[in-house]
Amino acid sequence: MSAQQFPVVVIGAGPVGLAAAAHLVGRGIEPLVLEAGEQAGAAVREWSHVRLFSTWGEVVDPAAEKLLAPTGWTRPDPATYPSGGDWAERYLRPLADALGDKVRTGAVVTGVSRAGRDRVVDAGREDQPFVVHVEHAGGREERVLARAVIDASGTWTAPGPAGGSGLPALGEKAAADRITYRVPDLKNPAVRARYAGKRTAVIGSGASAFTALAYLAELAESGDGTGTRAVWVLRRGISGSTFGGGTADQLPARGALGLAAKAAVGKGHADAVTGFRTEAFERAGDGRVVLVGEDGRRLDPVDEVIALTGFRPDLSFLSEIRLNLDTRLQAPVGLAPLIDPNQHSCGTVYPHGHRELSHPEQGIYLVGMKSYGRAPTFLAMTGYEQVRSVAAAIAGDLDSADRVELTLPETGVCGGAGLFDTPADDGGCCATPEPRLVQLGPPTTGGCCGS
């Protein structure tokens, strides 16, 4: 039984998974894309209201565009910015249609292994095809054999908890009715009513937190949002890099997102609580939530909590596969040093391919957001370069697989201590302050951190 007679199984019909399939088709290799959702781009559709900070020109894969060309597909203006909904409907849906029966939806992957070999067995292991266990609607199970597996399932289904230790805070599960782990769609009337005139805690310091703060500030300034307030809960302090790269960011919309959050708090729509790691959620007498920090501080009650502390890879269905993952990030060990936020806070990563993504189990690759484990700096362009290289490696074209065919934009911010409270290297005058509650006023003009 030769493994080469079987398709390459791609897990996930998101942007990177579908791009992987397009690259495989371009190489004459049969892909089979297994998507847990009911349609391609199911995860992207769940944040359809959020606008990307990458342009259309940066989120369309070249091999996918080549596959779409005969269908009459017209590429959107490459200089404009799609929303998640635009990306899913105007690009991912047509791409999945072009791939046809190579994409199966409603197919949940529950396990991956070698045929007839658990992870302990060495004998004849590499000669065996992969076996992928799939569960369909109604509980029907299927066993799919594959020559290789590309896991592009992402991290969307596993958001990080609010608890500062990486575990859910005490009482976090009991307070689930007051917590969301996604950026809320404040254009939805029902969702808007949940936050209008309310006091909301936003936990997190990345692009999603910036977006939530900007949305809440916009709500506060609208006619139906009077009294809307935000409390921005940061595990670190405020430094020169807190709001991202600003005008120095080579992705202008990414820089503008941080500046929008800065403006939101500068106008007095939010207070910032720094150096606060949530240990517990407690109920106030009126049913609202009180956040309690590891240092014993108790914040004033809030009506809602938006916890945006990143995402994690689901590795449960890969338990029989021999992976080599970094112990901190849960990313491939060859990639981890390039993206480790303990070492740097750069918003860009050197382009990389099959060698950095390889594992002791030959023929399996984690790509896209999942390849980054718990690191937060992923760009779609990075994923497209990953799968271009991986498809070339599977095809045996190592010259192409090893070649770098991508130049990534820089963030404009590159400091140390990307995750914890130690001072970031932002030029010498912007050390992390002591934990405190601060009212963020208009930007200063005399110091080095006022830009």
Side-chain angles (χ1 to χ4, degrees):
M1 182 170 55
S2 171
Q4 303 303 308
Q5 65 185 289
F6 302 115
V8 173
V9 165
V10 179
I11 306 174
V16 177
L18 292 177
H23 281 279
L24 291 168
V25 168
R27 294 237 171 219
I29 299 172
E30 182 71 12
L32 175 60
V33 184
L34 301 175
E35 166 59 42
E38 294 306 313
Q39 54 187 324
V44 174
R45 292 175 185 276
E46 291 192 27
W47 50 270
S48 60
H49 57 289
V50 177
R51 191 161 298 281
L52 280 71
F53 51 66
S54 297
T55 64
W56 271 113
E58 295 158 340
V59 298
V60 173
D61 177 79
E65 185 171 12
K66 184 177 180 180
L67 189 65
L68 283 165
T71 70
W73 180 78
T74 302
R75 181 177 184 170
D77 182 348
T80 59
Y81 295 88
S83 66
D86 295 332
W87 202 17
E89 192 60 27
R90 301 179 63 186
Y91 171 62
L92 300 181
R93 183 187 58 77
L95 180 53
D97 289 345
L99 288 165
D101 60 7
K102 295 177 175 62
V103 178
R104 297 183 190 174
T105 58
V108 179
V109 173
T110 59
V112 180
S113 186
R114 289 282 188 177
R117 307 288 189 276
D118 64 23
R119 67 180 297 155
V120 176
V121 178
D122 289 334
R125 186 176 191 86
E126 292 185 3
D127 296 328
Q128 295 298 106
F130 290 94
V131 58
V132 181
H133 284 217
V134 185
E135 185 173 307
H136 299 271
R140 181 177 67 86
E141 294 181 311
E142 181 183 10
R143 182 173 177 269
V144 177
L145 297 178
R147 63 183 286 187
V149 175
I150 300 175
D151 183 357
S153 59
T155 58
W156 179 253
T157 60
S165 63
L167 301 172
L170 297 177
E172 183 172 342
K173 294 179 181 178
D177 61 314
R178 300 272 181 167
I179 307 172
T180 183
Y181 298 89
R182 309 285 192 265
V183 176
D185 181 4
L186 297 186
K187 293 183 179 180
N188 180 311
V191 176
R192 190 177 185 87
R194 176 174 174 174
Y195 297 94
K198 305 292 180 59
R199 177 177 166 87
T200 298
V202 178
I203 304 175
S205 59
S208 294
F210 293 166
T211 302
L213 289 167
Y215 282 4
L216 289 170
E218 183 179 345
L219 176 59
E221 294 176 353
S222 67
D224 63 341
T226 302
T228 303
R229 296 284 298 171
V231 179
W232 188 18
V233 180
L234 297 110
R235 294 170 180 172
R236 298 183 64 195
I238 300 289
S239 72
S241 63
T242 296
F243 295 98
T247 56
D249 198 319
Q250 291 184 15
L251 287 176
R254 181 172 60 187
L257 189 58
L259 294 177
K262 187 174 185 178
V265 294
K267 291 177 181 179
H269 297 306
D271 296 322
V273 182
T274 62
F276 189 95
R277 294 183 179 84
T278 306
E279 183 175 79
F281 283 67
E282 296 182 358
R283 291 281 188 175
D286 58 3
R288 293 190 296 168
V289 173
V290 175
L291 300 184
V292 182
E294 292 178 355
D295 56 4
R297 282 182 295 164
R298 301 168 64 87
L299 303 186
D300 290 338
V302 295
D303 300 282
E304 300 288 343
V305 176
I306 304 173
L308 302 168
T309 60
F311 294 86
R312 302 172 174 187
D314 177 8
L315 302 170
S316 61
F317 59 86
L318 299 176
S319 62
E320 295 305 316
I321 292 295
R322 298 175 178 180
L323 301 178
N324 195 9
L325 299 176
D326 180 76
T327 56
R328 290 168 296 182
L329 299 185
Q330 297 177 299
V333 292
L335 174 60
L338 303 178
I339 61 177
D340 188 349
N342 287 293
Q343 303 301 322
H344 60 81
S345 58
C346 297
T348 187
V349 175
Y350 293 111
H352 53 277
H354 74 110
R355 295 197 185 278
E356 291 83 358
L357 300 172
S358 63
H359 295 279
E361 193 84 70
Q362 296 183 21
I364 187 160
Y365 302 92
L366 277 58
V367 299
M369 272 296 299
K370 190 160 187 177
S371 72
Y372 271 43
R374 299 192 183 198
T377 52
F378 180 78
L379 294 173
M381 292 181 288
T382 306
Y384 296 159
E385 174 66 3
Q386 287 179 342
V387 296
R388 183 205 63 78
S389 173
V390 166
I394 291 173
D397 184 357
L398 293 184
D399 286 342
S400 177
D402 290 336
R403 188 168 57 244
V404 174
E405 297 185 2
L406 175 66
T407 301
L408 290 169
E410 296 179 359
T411 183
V413 175
C414 192
L419 284 182
F420 216 66
D421 263 356
T422 50
D425 181 10
D426 292 313
C429 73
C430 304
T432 304
E434 290 299 313
R436 57 196 172 97
L437 174 67
V438 294
Q439 175 72 40
L440 295 182
T444 60
T445 56
C448 75
C449 304
S451 59

PDB file of all heavy atoms in Angstrom, residues 24 49 59 80 105 201 297 303 341 383 432 444:
ATOM      1  N   LEU A  24      -1.440  22.786  -3.897  1.00  0.00           N
ATOM      2  CA  LEU A  24      -1.333  21.358  -4.204  1.00  0.00           C
ATOM      3  C   LEU A  24      -1.895  21.059  -5.589  1.00  0.00           C
ATOM      4  O   LEU A  24      -1.286  20.319  -6.379  1.00  0.00           O
ATOM      5  CB  LEU A  24      -2.059  20.544  -3.135  1.00  0.00           C
ATOM      6  CG  LEU A  24      -1.414  20.539  -1.743  1.00  0.00           C
ATOM      7  CD1 LEU A  24      -2.368  19.962  -0.717  1.00  0.00           C
ATOM      8  CD2 LEU A  24      -0.101  19.738  -1.755  1.00  0.00           C
ATOM      9  N   HIS A  49     -17.858  41.153  11.096  1.00  0.00           N
ATOM     10  CA  HIS A  49     -18.026  42.597  11.305  1.00  0.00           C
ATOM     11  C   HIS A  49     -16.703  43.323  11.500  1.00  0.00           C
ATOM     12  O   HIS A  49     -16.664  44.554  11.499  1.00  0.00           O
ATOM     13  CB  HIS A  49     -18.897  42.835  12.539  1.00  0.00           C
ATOM     14  CG  HIS A  49     -18.352  42.208  13.782  1.00  0.00           C
ATOM     15  ND1 HIS A  49     -18.347  40.846  13.976  1.00  0.00           N
ATOM     16  CD2 HIS A  49     -17.781  42.743  14.898  1.00  0.00           C
ATOM     17  CE1 HIS A  49     -17.811  40.578  15.164  1.00  0.00           C
ATOM     18  NE2 HIS A  49     -17.457  41.703  15.738  1.00  0.00           N
ATOM     19  N   VAL A  59      -4.225  39.684   1.079  1.00  0.00           N
ATOM     20  CA  VAL A  59      -4.949  38.536   1.638  1.00  0.00           C
ATOM     21  C   VAL A  59      -5.496  37.600   0.560  1.00  0.00           C
ATOM     22  O   VAL A  59      -6.298  36.716   0.853  1.00  0.00           O
ATOM     23  CB  VAL A  59      -6.100  39.008   2.564  1.00  0.00           C
ATOM     24  CG1 VAL A  59      -5.544  39.786   3.743  1.00  0.00           C
ATOM     25  CG2 VAL A  59      -7.148  39.821   1.818  1.00  0.00           C
ATOM     26  N   THR A  80      -7.908  48.295  -1.125  1.00  0.00           N
ATOM     27  CA  THR A  80      -8.967  48.477  -0.135  1.00  0.00           C
ATOM     28  C   THR A  80      -8.905  47.388   0.936  1.00  0.00           C
ATOM     29  O   THR A  80      -8.261  46.358   0.759  1.00  0.00           O
ATOM     30  CB  THR A  80     -10.354  48.465  -0.801  1.00  0.00           C
ATOM     31  OG1 THR A  80     -10.537  47.208  -1.476  1.00  0.00           O
ATOM     32  CG2 THR A  80     -10.470  49.587  -1.816  1.00  0.00           C
ATOM     33  N   THR A 105     -17.443  19.940   3.828  1.00  0.00           N
ATOM     34  CA  THR A 105     -17.821  20.691   5.016  1.00  0.00           C
ATOM     35  C   THR A 105     -18.573  19.789   6.003  1.00  0.00           C
ATOM     36  O   THR A 105     -18.982  18.677   5.663  1.00  0.00           O
ATOM     37  CB  THR A 105     -18.694  21.890   4.634  1.00  0.00           C
ATOM     38  OG1 THR A 105     -19.853  21.424   3.931  1.00  0.00           O
ATOM     39  CG2 THR A 105     -17.929  22.865   3.754  1.00  0.00           C
ATOM     40  N   ALA A 201     -15.385  45.869  31.053  1.00  0.00           N
ATOM     41  CA  ALA A 201     -13.951  45.618  31.182  1.00  0.00           C
ATOM     42  C   ALA A 201     -13.448  44.949  29.917  1.00  0.00           C
ATOM     43  O   ALA A 201     -14.034  43.964  29.451  1.00  0.00           O
ATOM     44  CB  ALA A 201     -13.668  44.732  32.393  1.00  0.00           C
ATOM     45  N   ARG A 297      -6.126  43.516  44.633  1.00  0.00           N
ATOM     46  CA  ARG A 297      -6.932  44.660  44.217  1.00  0.00           C
ATOM     47  C   ARG A 297      -8.291  44.206  43.693  1.00  0.00           C
ATOM     48  O   ARG A 297      -8.394  43.179  43.032  1.00  0.00           O
ATOM     49  CB  ARG A 297      -6.211  45.461  43.136  1.00  0.00           C
ATOM     50  CG  ARG A 297      -5.116  46.360  43.660  1.00  0.00           C
ATOM     51  CD  ARG A 297      -4.490  47.163  42.529  1.00  0.00           C
ATOM     52  NE  ARG A 297      -3.796  46.305  41.576  1.00  0.00           N
ATOM     53  CZ  ARG A 297      -3.424  46.699  40.361  1.00  0.00           C
ATOM     54  NH1 ARG A 297      -3.732  47.910  39.935  1.00  0.00           N
ATOM     55  NH2 ARG A 297      -2.766  45.879  39.558  1.00  0.00           N
ATOM     56  N   ASP A 303     -20.523  45.731  34.155  1.00  0.00           N
ATOM     57  CA  ASP A 303     -21.682  45.016  33.634  1.00  0.00           C
ATOM     58  C   ASP A 303     -21.281  43.865  32.724  1.00  0.00           C
ATOM     59  O   ASP A 303     -21.945  42.823  32.697  1.00  0.00           O
ATOM     60  CB  ASP A 303     -22.581  45.988  32.853  1.00  0.00           C
ATOM     61  CG  ASP A 303     -23.094  47.118  33.713  1.00  0.00           C
ATOM     62  OD1 ASP A 303     -24.037  46.885  34.487  1.00  0.00           O
ATOM     63  OD2 ASP A 303     -22.541  48.232  33.626  1.00  0.00           O
ATOM     64  N   PRO A 341       7.174  36.047  21.869  1.00  0.00           N
ATOM     65  CA  PRO A 341       6.986  37.395  22.405  1.00  0.00           C
ATOM     66  C   PRO A 341       7.710  37.627  23.725  1.00  0.00           C
ATOM     67  O   PRO A 341       7.748  38.758  24.206  1.00  0.00           O
ATOM     68  CB  PRO A 341       5.460  37.499  22.577  1.00  0.00           C
ATOM     69  CG  PRO A 341       5.009  36.089  22.736  1.00  0.00           C
ATOM     70  CD  PRO A 341       5.942  35.251  21.925  1.00  0.00           C
ATOM     71  N   GLY A 383       1.099  32.862   6.188  1.00  0.00           N
ATOM     72  CA  GLY A 383       0.505  31.548   5.967  1.00  0.00           C
ATOM     73  C   GLY A 383       0.565  31.121   4.515  1.00  0.00           C
ATOM     74  O   GLY A 383       0.800  29.931   4.213  1.00  0.00           O
ATOM     75  N   THR A 432       8.132  50.563  32.173  1.00  0.00           N
ATOM     76  CA  THR A 432       6.806  50.167  32.637  1.00  0.00           C
ATOM     77  C   THR A 432       6.522  50.754  34.012  1.00  0.00           C
ATOM     78  O   THR A 432       7.315  50.595  34.930  1.00  0.00           O
ATOM     79  CB  THR A 432       6.723  48.637  32.710  1.00  0.00           C
ATOM     80  OG1 THR A 432       7.051  48.109  31.438  1.00  0.00           O
ATOM     81  CG2 THR A 432       5.341  48.188  33.123  1.00  0.00           C
ATOM     82  N   THR A 444       0.458  63.575  25.555  1.00  0.00           N
ATOM     83  CA  THR A 444       1.367  64.644  25.947  1.00  0.00           C
ATOM     84  C   THR A 444       2.200  65.075  24.740  1.00  0.00           C
ATOM     85  O   THR A 444       2.277  64.391  23.733  1.00  0.00           O
ATOM     86  CB  THR A 444       2.319  64.148  27.045  1.00  0.00           C
ATOM     87  OG1 THR A 444       3.060  63.044  26.528  1.00  0.00           O
ATOM     88  CG2 THR A 444       1.528  63.716  28.264  1.00  0.00           C
TER      89      THR A 444
END
